Amino acid sequence: MNSTKTIEIKARSRMRSLVLLEDSRHLLSADDEGVIRQWRWADGMEVGEGIRVSGGLITAITLSDDGNWILSAGWQVANVLSRKSPTGFTVNEHTDWVDTVHVSPDSTRFATGGNDKKVFIWDISTGKQLVGPLEHDDRVRTVKFSPTGDRIATSSKCLRVYNANNGDLLQTFSSSNIPYTCSNLIAWSGVHNVFTLTSQNTLAHVHVNAKQTLSSWSIPGEAGGNFGYIALSSNGKFIASSIGRSISLWDTATYAQICSAITHPAPIWSIALSFDNDYLATSDANGIITLRNLKYIIPDYYLIGQIVVQQSQAGRGAEQQTDALRTELRVPSLHFNQLRKTTIQVDDRLQVQVIPPRILDGTYYIKNNTGDLYLTCSQAAPGSVFMQRLDQSNVHQRWAVSLLGDGIYKITTRKGNQDIPLTTGNANVLVSPDLEYTTWTIEPRGDAYVIGNASDATAIHRTQDHTVSVLLRNNTPNQRWVFERVAD
């Protein structure tokens, strides 16, 4: 692997889409001249002759997981090219620009969506139309198959999830007006979870089965930018986003920003991550490809843990098994491994899809996972929250938890005849009727939970002197809490 901090490649024209090849030495670009080109990282030289495709300028390209197919999108068409033979074909049911194309995990189907507000699913070998048209209310900016291939998510005026086999609409998630065009706005982080740009400068994590928004937060980028992108690391530990000239990187478990935002010299038109997660590539409005070595930007924790999963006897694909395992055992303390590559045999029982647990409405004692100490509201100073051993006679150790919707909770304690909410204050002043009302996310971490501020990337934290505060989510034991139900 090249250890250079930054690599720049000057292309022949502007590019709206990049694909980094698995060898971490080459990449594919799709440019405004309607040509797919291959580039060598080491010296920035073009490899071989470019492939000209139908449809004028290329709005998007993608590579199938088996590496056998290159697909591109353009004016009214999607092109399918075989990497094993000179054969290929074009599908042309769209009546306007095709903005997005994606291949199913088993590399047998592909989906297209575009400015004509339609989505189709096709057979990748024959070009036969299998599903569609799926009609939308607005331009379809992104379409993505789920890791199991049985669903597709689309981004238009809202996020929708369809049955990929028959086109039935399964879920719809409302969102604000999405201003981005020609963009990659969706990343499946497991068989149930999706990261998506939902509106201007807002990144959200949603659970499609539970129909809940697990978290949403603002990301940097100038308002009014035409292009917005996200890319999920192959180990699932971080997600990269770009809006305008700004690049930001986020922890997928804590939703915390893991380095300062990077400002690019020109508006970014696409982003991509290398298969080993070491490099982040961008193409920009000046026709320059930039590869940034993430070893110099983010902690090594985010760059290790690549998983190769053996095919089970049940015949599930490697990516399907990996994402199912990642979803069903999604806890930051379980890193799977700390090696570049490790083989994991997945138990067939993990084929059962489960919805992550949530806290049911009720009254709880909230215990910190680092010791036998419980969250307590001071009787003498009602605004103060600290830790003490369980005292079942102390009503200020009892916390009422209620789900407000979309994965957001209200947590209150009782003071006389008044319910006082748990809020974000200064230092350990967390409970007060005078502070701004705050809602929380309660996110599973193995046998405990992180109580996160629903409005930003902070979480309730136990300090060394047994008080509590609100700090940036960092996944330490001091930010993990156990909810013990108070008997009725």
Side-chain angles (χ1 to χ4, degrees):
M1 169 61 69
N2 195 319
S3 61
T4 306
K5 291 184 178 181
T6 304
I7 302 170
E8 283 194 356
I9 300 173
K10 177 63 177 177
R12 300 187 184 186
S13 67
R14 297 180 298 185
M15 297 149 290
R16 300 169 189 265
S17 191
L18 298 174
V19 172
L20 304 188
L21 301 186
E22 193 169 325
D23 64 3
S24 295
R25 293 183 176 88
H26 299 86
L27 62 86
L28 300 177
S29 69
D31 62 32
D32 281 2
E33 296 178 349
V35 179
I36 298 174
R37 306 183 191 277
Q38 181 170 320
W39 305 89
R40 186 168 52 237
W41 296 14
D43 55 12
M45 298 297 295
E46 187 174 352
V47 179
E49 293 186 7
I51 303 172
R52 185 170 296 278
V53 295
S54 302
L57 68 84
I58 302 173
T59 56
I61 58 169
T62 191
L63 185 68
S64 62
D65 285 354
D66 63 8
N68 293 335
W69 305 93
I70 301 172
L71 290 88
S72 69
W75 173 248
Q76 298 185 342
V77 303
N79 302 286
V80 181
L81 306 173
S82 171
R83 297 184 73 192
K84 290 188 173 181
S85 69
T87 61
F89 60 86
T90 296
V91 296
N92 54 6
E93 284 297 313
H94 288 277
T95 58
D96 207 317
W97 286 103
V98 181
D99 289 327
T100 177
V101 59
H102 192 239
V103 183
S104 63
D106 62 3
S107 302
T108 62
R109 296 165 293 159
F110 68 98
T112 58
N115 203 33
D116 59 1
K117 309 177 185 179
K118 297 176 182 178
V119 167
F120 296 91
I121 299 178
W122 316 82
D123 185 288
I124 202 168
S125 298
T126 65
K128 178 182 177 181
Q129 182 181 318
L130 302 175
V131 175
L134 304 179
E135 302 285 352
H136 289 65
D137 297 330
D138 198 4
R139 180 179 194 166
V140 180
R141 295 160 173 84
T142 306
V143 59
K144 283 290 181 70
F145 280 94
S146 68
T148 51
D150 60 339
R151 289 173 291 179
I152 58 168
T154 67
S155 178
S156 185
K157 274 191 174 180
C158 59
L159 175 69
R160 295 181 178 181
V161 179
Y162 292 87
N163 183 317
N165 298 313
N166 58 25
D168 288 348
L169 179 62
L170 302 178
Q171 285 105 9
T172 299
F173 297 85
S174 61
S175 62
S176 302
N177 181 43
I178 300 173
Y180 311 112
T181 59
C182 304
S183 305
N184 185 5
L185 304 175
I186 297 172
W188 287 85
S189 60
V191 294
H192 303 300
N193 295 283
V194 169
F195 285 94
T196 180
L197 283 176
T198 61
S199 60
Q200 184 74 59
N201 291 65
T202 301
L203 182 58
H205 189 199
V206 301
H207 192 289
V208 297
N209 276 24
K211 298 182 180 179
Q212 292 183 355
T213 299
L214 303 178
S215 186
S216 63
W217 63 99
S218 296
I219 60 177
E222 57 266 36
N226 289 328
F227 295 92
Y229 291 89
I230 58 174
L232 182 69
S233 64
S234 61
N235 60 18
K237 290 183 177 181
F238 70 95
I239 190 166
S241 66
S242 74
I243 296 177
R245 301 170 188 263
S246 181
I247 303 169
S248 53
L249 303 169
W250 305 87
D251 187 305
T252 56
T254 66
Y255 313 121
Q257 191 169 348
I258 57 179
C259 68
S260 300
I262 301 167
T263 301
H264 193 73
I268 297 167
W269 281 25
S270 69
I271 64 171
L273 288 165
S274 62
F275 186 77
D276 59 11
N277 304 310
D278 285 350
Y279 275 82
L280 173 70
T282 60
S283 64
D284 63 32
N286 293 333
I288 295 176
I289 301 170
T290 303
L291 294 111
R292 291 177 170 85
N293 192 334
L294 294 179
K295 292 179 180 178
Y296 296 94
I297 298 174
I298 61 177
D300 286 344
Y301 161 76
Y302 293 102
L303 306 177
I304 58 180
Q306 182 60 50
I307 307 166
V308 177
V309 184
Q310 292 179 351
Q311 182 91 3
S312 74
Q313 294 181 354
R316 304 178 74 210
E319 179 178 341
Q320 297 174 24
Q321 295 182 52
T322 301
D323 283 315
L325 180 64
R326 184 181 297 145
T327 295
E328 295 170 27
L329 300 178
R330 187 178 179 271
V331 287
S333 59
L334 177 62
H335 301 324
F336 301 106
N337 58 80
Q338 293 298 314
L339 302 174
R340 284 289 173 183
K341 290 192 176 181
T342 292
T343 297
I344 298 175
Q345 181 64 49
V346 178
D347 193 311
D348 285 341
R349 289 174 297 177
L350 292 183
Q351 295 182 35
V352 178
Q353 298 181 2
V354 296
I355 297 175
R358 77 167 179 86
I359 298 297
L360 299 177
D361 290 2
T363 303
Y364 293 84
Y365 301 118
I366 302 177
K367 174 185 175 183
N368 188 256
N369 207 30
T370 62
D372 194 26
L373 295 173
Y374 290 78
L375 201 65
T376 303
C377 175
S378 171
Q379 299 182 48
S384 177
V385 178
F386 61 102
M387 309 295 300
Q388 69 173 191
R389 294 194 179 277
L390 182 62
D391 178 3
Q392 294 184 357
S393 65
N394 186 352
V395 296
H396 299 291
Q397 281 190 336
R398 300 185 181 188
W399 301 88
V401 177
S402 59
L403 182 68
L404 299 180
D406 291 336
I408 306 301
Y409 294 82
K410 177 176 68 174
I411 303 176
T412 61
T413 190
R414 195 75 174 168
K415 180 66 174 177
N417 295 323
Q418 186 178 17
D419 289 327
I420 304 177
L422 188 65
T423 62
T424 54
N426 298 322
N428 65 324
V429 182
L430 289 173
V431 176
S432 172
D434 300 324
L435 295 176
E436 182 181 355
Y437 181 78
T438 301
T439 54
W440 304 91
T441 60
I442 302 177
E443 307 156 8
R445 298 291 188 268
D447 58 353
Y449 294 82
V450 169
I451 305 174
N453 188 342
S455 300
D456 57 36
T458 59
I460 296 178
H461 180 92
R462 172 191 167 180
T463 65
Q464 293 182 350
D465 62 357
H466 295 180
T467 61
V468 293
S469 63
V470 176
L471 298 178
L472 190 68
R473 290 181 225 188
N474 56 26
N475 257 354
T476 64
N478 285 349
Q479 288 189 0
R480 297 183 186 176
W481 305 86
V482 176
F483 287 77
E484 298 178 357
R485 189 72 178 258
V486 177
D488 295 331

